[in-house]
PDB file of all heavy atoms in Angstrom:
ATOM      1  N   GLN A  13      13.499   9.762   6.430  1.00  0.00           N
ATOM      2  CA  GLN A  13      14.100  11.052   6.099  1.00  0.00           C
ATOM      3  C   GLN A  13      14.204  11.942   7.322  1.00  0.00           C
ATOM      4  O   GLN A  13      15.217  12.606   7.543  1.00  0.00           O
ATOM      5  CB  GLN A  13      13.247  11.781   5.050  1.00  0.00           C
ATOM      6  CG  GLN A  13      13.425  11.271   3.659  1.00  0.00           C
ATOM      7  CD  GLN A  13      12.490  11.968   2.691  1.00  0.00           C
ATOM      8  OE1 GLN A  13      11.532  12.639   3.080  1.00  0.00           O
ATOM      9  NE2 GLN A  13      12.745  11.797   1.417  1.00  0.00           N
ATOM     10  N   ILE A  20      21.586  14.405  11.350  1.00  0.00           N
ATOM     11  CA  ILE A  20      22.529  15.389  10.813  1.00  0.00           C
ATOM     12  C   ILE A  20      22.566  16.624  11.698  1.00  0.00           C
ATOM     13  O   ILE A  20      23.632  17.182  11.981  1.00  0.00           O
ATOM     14  CB  ILE A  20      22.143  15.763   9.369  1.00  0.00           C
ATOM     15  CG1 ILE A  20      22.324  14.541   8.470  1.00  0.00           C
ATOM     16  CG2 ILE A  20      22.966  16.928   8.874  1.00  0.00           C
ATOM     17  CD1 ILE A  20      21.966  14.781   7.034  1.00  0.00           C
ATOM     18  N   LEU A 139      -3.527  40.390   4.938  1.00  0.00           N
ATOM     19  CA  LEU A 139      -2.201  40.737   4.452  1.00  0.00           C
ATOM     20  C   LEU A 139      -1.497  41.658   5.433  1.00  0.00           C
ATOM     21  O   LEU A 139      -0.323  41.486   5.754  1.00  0.00           O
ATOM     22  CB  LEU A 139      -2.336  41.432   3.087  1.00  0.00           C
ATOM     23  CG  LEU A 139      -1.046  41.854   2.424  1.00  0.00           C
ATOM     24  CD1 LEU A 139      -0.208  40.638   2.131  1.00  0.00           C
ATOM     25  CD2 LEU A 139      -1.331  42.608   1.135  1.00  0.00           C
ATOM     26  N   PHE A 145       5.168  43.117  12.571  1.00  0.00           N
ATOM     27  CA  PHE A 145       6.313  42.561  13.236  1.00  0.00           C
ATOM     28  C   PHE A 145       5.820  41.963  14.547  1.00  0.00           C
ATOM     29  O   PHE A 145       5.301  42.670  15.411  1.00  0.00           O
ATOM     30  CB  PHE A 145       7.342  43.669  13.471  1.00  0.00           C
ATOM     31  CG  PHE A 145       8.616  43.190  14.065  1.00  0.00           C
ATOM     32  CD1 PHE A 145       9.272  42.088  13.552  1.00  0.00           C
ATOM     33  CD2 PHE A 145       9.179  43.842  15.139  1.00  0.00           C
ATOM     34  CE1 PHE A 145      10.460  41.639  14.091  1.00  0.00           C
ATOM     35  CE2 PHE A 145      10.371  43.416  15.695  1.00  0.00           C
ATOM     36  CZ  PHE A 145      11.006  42.308  15.168  1.00  0.00           C
ATOM     37  N   TRP A 148       6.412  43.475  18.031  1.00  0.00           N
ATOM     38  CA  TRP A 148       5.777  44.780  18.133  1.00  0.00           C
ATOM     39  C   TRP A 148       4.293  44.629  18.372  1.00  0.00           C
ATOM     40  O   TRP A 148       3.714  45.307  19.228  1.00  0.00           O
ATOM     41  CB  TRP A 148       6.053  45.551  16.849  1.00  0.00           C
ATOM     42  CG  TRP A 148       5.518  46.923  16.831  1.00  0.00           C
ATOM     43  CD1 TRP A 148       5.896  47.971  17.612  1.00  0.00           C
ATOM     44  CD2 TRP A 148       4.484  47.397  15.982  1.00  0.00           C
ATOM     45  NE1 TRP A 148       5.174  49.075  17.289  1.00  0.00           N
ATOM     46  CE2 TRP A 148       4.303  48.754  16.290  1.00  0.00           C
ATOM     47  CE3 TRP A 148       3.710  46.803  14.986  1.00  0.00           C
ATOM     48  CZ2 TRP A 148       3.365  49.533  15.634  1.00  0.00           C
ATOM     49  CZ3 TRP A 148       2.787  47.592  14.338  1.00  0.00           C
ATOM     50  CH2 TRP A 148       2.623  48.944  14.679  1.00  0.00           C
ATOM     51  N   LEU A 151       3.784  43.672  21.917  1.00  0.00           N
ATOM     52  CA  LEU A 151       3.896  44.800  22.833  1.00  0.00           C
ATOM     53  C   LEU A 151       2.637  45.667  22.777  1.00  0.00           C
ATOM     54  O   LEU A 151       2.122  46.118  23.802  1.00  0.00           O
ATOM     55  CB  LEU A 151       5.130  45.645  22.502  1.00  0.00           C
ATOM     56  CG  LEU A 151       6.486  45.011  22.800  1.00  0.00           C
ATOM     57  CD1 LEU A 151       7.614  45.963  22.451  1.00  0.00           C
ATOM     58  CD2 LEU A 151       6.589  44.589  24.254  1.00  0.00           C
ATOM     59  N   TYR A 159      -2.375  46.381  29.873  1.00  0.00           N
ATOM     60  CA  TYR A 159      -2.055  47.516  30.737  1.00  0.00           C
ATOM     61  C   TYR A 159      -3.199  48.515  30.811  1.00  0.00           C
ATOM     62  O   TYR A 159      -3.699  48.825  31.889  1.00  0.00           O
ATOM     63  CB  TYR A 159      -0.778  48.180  30.233  1.00  0.00           C
ATOM     64  CG  TYR A 159      -0.302  49.321  31.068  1.00  0.00           C
ATOM     65  CD1 TYR A 159       0.264  49.090  32.317  1.00  0.00           C
ATOM     66  CD2 TYR A 159      -0.422  50.631  30.617  1.00  0.00           C
ATOM     67  CE1 TYR A 159       0.702  50.147  33.087  1.00  0.00           C
ATOM     68  CE2 TYR A 159       0.024  51.676  31.383  1.00  0.00           C
ATOM     69  CZ  TYR A 159       0.585  51.441  32.620  1.00  0.00           C
ATOM     70  OH  TYR A 159       1.024  52.488  33.371  1.00  0.00           O
ATOM     71  N   THR A 253      -0.005  21.587   2.758  1.00  0.00           N
ATOM     72  CA  THR A 253       1.400  21.556   2.373  1.00  0.00           C
ATOM     73  C   THR A 253       2.128  22.811   2.843  1.00  0.00           C
ATOM     74  O   THR A 253       3.231  22.737   3.371  1.00  0.00           O
ATOM     75  CB  THR A 253       1.524  21.476   0.839  1.00  0.00           C
ATOM     76  OG1 THR A 253       0.734  20.398   0.376  1.00  0.00           O
ATOM     77  CG2 THR A 253       2.961  21.270   0.443  1.00  0.00           C
ATOM     78  N   ASN A 264       9.805  30.141  15.033  1.00  0.00           N
ATOM     79  CA  ASN A 264      10.486  31.396  15.390  1.00  0.00           C
ATOM     80  C   ASN A 264       9.524  32.310  16.132  1.00  0.00           C
ATOM     81  O   ASN A 264       9.845  32.862  17.180  1.00  0.00           O
ATOM     82  CB  ASN A 264      10.940  32.135  14.127  1.00  0.00           C
ATOM     83  CG  ASN A 264      12.146  31.477  13.507  1.00  0.00           C
ATOM     84  OD1 ASN A 264      12.803  30.661  14.135  1.00  0.00           O
ATOM     85  ND2 ASN A 264      12.429  31.825  12.278  1.00  0.00           N
ATOM     86  N   TYR A 291      25.231  26.646  28.433  1.00  0.00           N
ATOM     87  CA  TYR A 291      25.379  25.826  27.233  1.00  0.00           C
ATOM     88  C   TYR A 291      24.622  24.499  27.233  1.00  0.00           C
ATOM     89  O   TYR A 291      23.990  24.144  26.242  1.00  0.00           O
ATOM     90  CB  TYR A 291      26.854  25.548  26.942  1.00  0.00           C
ATOM     91  CG  TYR A 291      27.635  26.797  26.688  1.00  0.00           C
ATOM     92  CD1 TYR A 291      28.522  27.276  27.650  1.00  0.00           C
ATOM     93  CD2 TYR A 291      27.475  27.504  25.509  1.00  0.00           C
ATOM     94  CE1 TYR A 291      29.235  28.430  27.430  1.00  0.00           C
ATOM     95  CE2 TYR A 291      28.190  28.667  25.292  1.00  0.00           C
ATOM     96  CZ  TYR A 291      29.073  29.126  26.250  1.00  0.00           C
ATOM     97  OH  TYR A 291      29.774  30.266  26.047  1.00  0.00           O
ATOM     98  N   ASN A 309       6.432  18.215  11.151  1.00  0.00           N
ATOM     99  CA  ASN A 309       6.454  18.023   9.705  1.00  0.00           C
ATOM    100  C   ASN A 309       5.887  16.668   9.331  1.00  0.00           C
ATOM    101  O   ASN A 309       5.085  16.528   8.416  1.00  0.00           O
ATOM    102  CB  ASN A 309       7.892  18.098   9.178  1.00  0.00           C
ATOM    103  CG  ASN A 309       8.213  19.480   8.649  1.00  0.00           C
ATOM    104  OD1 ASN A 309       7.484  20.003   7.822  1.00  0.00           O
ATOM    105  ND2 ASN A 309       9.267  20.060   9.126  1.00  0.00           N
ATOM    106  N   ASP A 313       2.573  15.676   7.162  1.00  0.00           N
ATOM    107  CA  ASP A 313       2.593  14.739   6.042  1.00  0.00           C
ATOM    108  C   ASP A 313       1.538  13.666   6.194  1.00  0.00           C
ATOM    109  O   ASP A 313       0.875  13.272   5.238  1.00  0.00           O
ATOM    110  CB  ASP A 313       3.962  14.061   5.936  1.00  0.00           C
ATOM    111  CG  ASP A 313       4.981  14.982   5.317  1.00  0.00           C
ATOM    112  OD1 ASP A 313       4.571  15.893   4.577  1.00  0.00           O
ATOM    113  OD2 ASP A 313       6.179  14.800   5.585  1.00  0.00           O
ATOM    114  N   TYR A 316      -1.776  15.109   5.432  1.00  0.00           N
ATOM    115  CA  TYR A 316      -1.917  15.282   3.990  1.00  0.00           C
ATOM    116  C   TYR A 316      -2.231  13.944   3.314  1.00  0.00           C
ATOM    117  O   TYR A 316      -3.117  13.849   2.473  1.00  0.00           O
ATOM    118  CB  TYR A 316      -0.645  15.876   3.395  1.00  0.00           C
ATOM    119  CG  TYR A 316      -0.797  16.221   1.943  1.00  0.00           C
ATOM    120  CD1 TYR A 316      -1.200  17.489   1.558  1.00  0.00           C
ATOM    121  CD2 TYR A 316      -0.585  15.267   0.947  1.00  0.00           C
ATOM    122  CE1 TYR A 316      -1.376  17.799   0.220  1.00  0.00           C
ATOM    123  CE2 TYR A 316      -0.759  15.570  -0.379  1.00  0.00           C
ATOM    124  CZ  TYR A 316      -1.159  16.843  -0.730  1.00  0.00           C
ATOM    125  OH  TYR A 316      -1.343  17.147  -2.053  1.00  0.00           O
TER     126      TYR A 316
ATOM    127  N   THR C   6       1.547  16.868  -6.533  1.00  0.00           N
ATOM    128  CA  THR C   6       0.416  17.327  -5.736  1.00  0.00           C
ATOM    129  C   THR C   6       0.877  17.936  -4.429  1.00  0.00           C
ATOM    130  O   THR C   6       0.144  18.652  -3.794  1.00  0.00           O
ATOM    131  CB  THR C   6      -0.526  16.160  -5.398  1.00  0.00           C
ATOM    132  OG1 THR C   6       0.236  15.091  -4.854  1.00  0.00           O
ATOM    133  CG2 THR C   6      -1.256  15.691  -6.624  1.00  0.00           C
ATOM    134  N   ARG C   7       2.092  17.614  -4.024  1.00  0.00           N
ATOM    135  CA  ARG C   7       2.496  18.124  -2.727  1.00  0.00           C
ATOM    136  C   ARG C   7       2.959  19.576  -2.754  1.00  0.00           C
ATOM    137  O   ARG C   7       2.671  20.321  -1.863  1.00  0.00           O
ATOM    138  CB  ARG C   7       3.617  17.258  -2.140  1.00  0.00           C
ATOM    139  CG  ARG C   7       3.052  16.154  -1.284  1.00  0.00           C
ATOM    140  CD  ARG C   7       4.127  15.192  -0.878  1.00  0.00           C
ATOM    141  NE  ARG C   7       5.231  15.844  -0.221  1.00  0.00           N
ATOM    142  CZ  ARG C   7       5.195  16.226   1.045  1.00  0.00           C
ATOM    143  NH1 ARG C   7       4.147  16.040   1.758  1.00  0.00           N
ATOM    144  NH2 ARG C   7       6.242  16.810   1.586  1.00  0.00           N
ATOM    145  N   ARG C 146      18.362  17.329  -0.931  1.00  0.00           N
ATOM    146  CA  ARG C 146      18.269  16.818   0.455  1.00  0.00           C
ATOM    147  C   ARG C 146      18.840  17.843   1.399  1.00  0.00           C
ATOM    148  O   ARG C 146      18.311  18.125   2.475  1.00  0.00           O
ATOM    149  CB  ARG C 146      19.060  15.523   0.604  1.00  0.00           C
ATOM    150  CG  ARG C 146      18.407  14.318   0.029  1.00  0.00           C
ATOM    151  CD  ARG C 146      17.356  13.717   0.962  1.00  0.00           C
ATOM    152  NE  ARG C 146      16.394  12.957   0.174  1.00  0.00           N
ATOM    153  CZ  ARG C 146      15.258  13.470  -0.279  1.00  0.00           C
ATOM    154  NH1 ARG C 146      14.918  14.693   0.010  1.00  0.00           N
ATOM    155  NH2 ARG C 146      14.442  12.739  -0.997  1.00  0.00           N
ATOM    156  N   ILE C 150      17.005  19.911   4.519  1.00  0.00           N
ATOM    157  CA  ILE C 150      17.462  20.012   5.900  1.00  0.00           C
ATOM    158  C   ILE C 150      17.560  21.468   6.318  1.00  0.00           C
ATOM    159  O   ILE C 150      17.110  21.854   7.393  1.00  0.00           O
ATOM    160  CB  ILE C 150      18.827  19.327   6.074  1.00  0.00           C
ATOM    161  CG1 ILE C 150      18.679  17.835   5.814  1.00  0.00           C
ATOM    162  CG2 ILE C 150      19.380  19.579   7.466  1.00  0.00           C
ATOM    163  CD1 ILE C 150      19.971  17.094   5.843  1.00  0.00           C
ATOM    164  N   VAL C 153      14.169  23.137   6.982  1.00  0.00           N
ATOM    165  CA  VAL C 153      13.351  22.701   8.100  1.00  0.00           C
ATOM    166  C   VAL C 153      13.779  23.347   9.421  1.00  0.00           C
ATOM    167  O   VAL C 153      13.046  23.353  10.390  1.00  0.00           O
ATOM    168  CB  VAL C 153      13.413  21.152   8.193  1.00  0.00           C
ATOM    169  CG1 VAL C 153      14.317  20.700   9.300  1.00  0.00           C
ATOM    170  CG2 VAL C 153      12.042  20.578   8.325  1.00  0.00           C
ATOM    171  N   PRO C 155      14.521  26.214  12.081  1.00  0.00           N
ATOM    172  CA  PRO C 155      14.036  27.567  12.353  1.00  0.00           C
ATOM    173  C   PRO C 155      15.226  28.524  12.404  1.00  0.00           C
ATOM    174  O   PRO C 155      16.047  28.444  13.316  1.00  0.00           O
ATOM    175  CB  PRO C 155      13.370  27.456  13.721  1.00  0.00           C
ATOM    176  CG  PRO C 155      13.502  26.045  14.150  1.00  0.00           C
ATOM    177  CD  PRO C 155      14.439  25.343  13.248  1.00  0.00           C
ATOM    178  N   LEU C 157      15.872  31.690  13.126  1.00  0.00           N
ATOM    179  CA  LEU C 157      16.149  32.522  14.291  1.00  0.00           C
ATOM    180  C   LEU C 157      16.850  31.708  15.373  1.00  0.00           C
ATOM    181  O   LEU C 157      17.830  32.149  15.980  1.00  0.00           O
ATOM    182  CB  LEU C 157      14.824  33.074  14.829  1.00  0.00           C
ATOM    183  CG  LEU C 157      14.919  34.047  15.983  1.00  0.00           C
ATOM    184  CD1 LEU C 157      15.599  35.312  15.515  1.00  0.00           C
ATOM    185  CD2 LEU C 157      13.538  34.352  16.520  1.00  0.00           C
ATOM    186  N   SER C 165      25.418  31.749  20.724  1.00  0.00           N
ATOM    187  CA  SER C 165      25.809  31.265  22.044  1.00  0.00           C
ATOM    188  C   SER C 165      27.210  30.661  21.986  1.00  0.00           C
ATOM    189  O   SER C 165      27.968  30.712  22.941  1.00  0.00           O
ATOM    190  CB  SER C 165      24.805  30.229  22.560  1.00  0.00           C
ATOM    191  OG  SER C 165      25.249  28.926  22.335  1.00  0.00           O
ATOM    192  N   ALA C 246      15.651  42.101  12.951  1.00  0.00           N
ATOM    193  CA  ALA C 246      14.825  42.834  13.906  1.00  0.00           C
ATOM    194  C   ALA C 246      14.524  41.957  15.120  1.00  0.00           C
ATOM    195  O   ALA C 246      14.600  42.411  16.267  1.00  0.00           O
ATOM    196  CB  ALA C 246      13.531  43.285  13.238  1.00  0.00           C
ATOM    197  N   MET C 274       7.532  50.793  27.562  1.00  0.00           N
ATOM    198  CA  MET C 274       6.488  50.296  26.669  1.00  0.00           C
ATOM    199  C   MET C 274       5.156  50.994  26.856  1.00  0.00           C
ATOM    200  O   MET C 274       4.449  51.257  25.913  1.00  0.00           O
ATOM    201  CB  MET C 274       6.227  48.834  26.979  1.00  0.00           C
ATOM    202  CG  MET C 274       6.910  47.875  26.139  1.00  0.00           C
ATOM    203  SD  MET C 274       6.871  46.300  26.957  1.00  0.00           S
ATOM    204  CE  MET C 274       5.140  46.078  27.224  1.00  0.00           C
ATOM    205  N   PHE C 275       4.832  51.199  28.125  1.00  0.00           N
ATOM    206  CA  PHE C 275       3.489  51.702  28.372  1.00  0.00           C
ATOM    207  C   PHE C 275       3.430  53.212  28.390  1.00  0.00           C
ATOM    208  O   PHE C 275       2.366  53.790  28.464  1.00  0.00           O
ATOM    209  CB  PHE C 275       2.977  51.166  29.709  1.00  0.00           C
ATOM    210  CG  PHE C 275       2.980  49.663  29.783  1.00  0.00           C
ATOM    211  CD1 PHE C 275       3.193  49.014  30.983  1.00  0.00           C
ATOM    212  CD2 PHE C 275       2.771  48.903  28.650  1.00  0.00           C
ATOM    213  CE1 PHE C 275       3.190  47.634  31.059  1.00  0.00           C
ATOM    214  CE2 PHE C 275       2.771  47.529  28.707  1.00  0.00           C
ATOM    215  CZ  PHE C 275       2.982  46.887  29.919  1.00  0.00           C
ATOM    216  N   LEU C 281       7.317  53.725  20.803  1.00  0.00           N
ATOM    217  CA  LEU C 281       6.914  52.362  20.513  1.00  0.00           C
ATOM    218  C   LEU C 281       6.402  52.204  19.088  1.00  0.00           C
ATOM    219  O   LEU C 281       6.719  51.243  18.403  1.00  0.00           O
ATOM    220  CB  LEU C 281       5.803  51.943  21.498  1.00  0.00           C
ATOM    221  CG  LEU C 281       5.189  50.564  21.283  1.00  0.00           C
ATOM    222  CD1 LEU C 281       6.208  49.472  21.518  1.00  0.00           C
ATOM    223  CD2 LEU C 281       4.007  50.361  22.213  1.00  0.00           C
ATOM    224  N   SER C 289       6.839  46.799   9.715  1.00  0.00           N
ATOM    225  CA  SER C 289       5.688  46.214   9.047  1.00  0.00           C
ATOM    226  C   SER C 289       5.502  46.786   7.655  1.00  0.00           C
ATOM    227  O   SER C 289       5.238  46.042   6.706  1.00  0.00           O
ATOM    228  CB  SER C 289       4.421  46.447   9.880  1.00  0.00           C
ATOM    229  OG  SER C 289       4.612  45.981  11.188  1.00  0.00           O
ATOM    230  N   TYR C 296       6.611  42.850  -0.138  1.00  0.00           N
ATOM    231  CA  TYR C 296       5.669  41.814  -0.537  1.00  0.00           C
ATOM    232  C   TYR C 296       4.853  42.262  -1.743  1.00  0.00           C
ATOM    233  O   TYR C 296       4.669  41.515  -2.699  1.00  0.00           O
ATOM    234  CB  TYR C 296       4.745  41.488   0.642  1.00  0.00           C
ATOM    235  CG  TYR C 296       3.676  40.500   0.301  1.00  0.00           C
ATOM    236  CD1 TYR C 296       3.937  39.137   0.260  1.00  0.00           C
ATOM    237  CD2 TYR C 296       2.387  40.929   0.005  1.00  0.00           C
ATOM    238  CE1 TYR C 296       2.951  38.229  -0.065  1.00  0.00           C
ATOM    239  CE2 TYR C 296       1.407  40.021  -0.319  1.00  0.00           C
ATOM    240  CZ  TYR C 296       1.688  38.684  -0.351  1.00  0.00           C
ATOM    241  OH  TYR C 296       0.708  37.788  -0.686  1.00  0.00           O
TER     242      TYR C 296
END
Side-chain angles (χ1 to χ4, degrees):
Chain A
Q13 282 176 346
I20 294 179
L139 181 63
F145 184 48
W148 183 66
L151 290 181
Y159 183 72
T253 308
N264 285 345
Y291 299 106
N309 263 307
D313 283 335
Y316 187 92
Chain C
T6 51
R7 269 172 55 78
R146 284 279 156 267
I150 295 175
V153 103
L157 184 66
S165 98
M274 263 163 55
F275 303 148
L281 176 65
S289 306
Y296 176 80

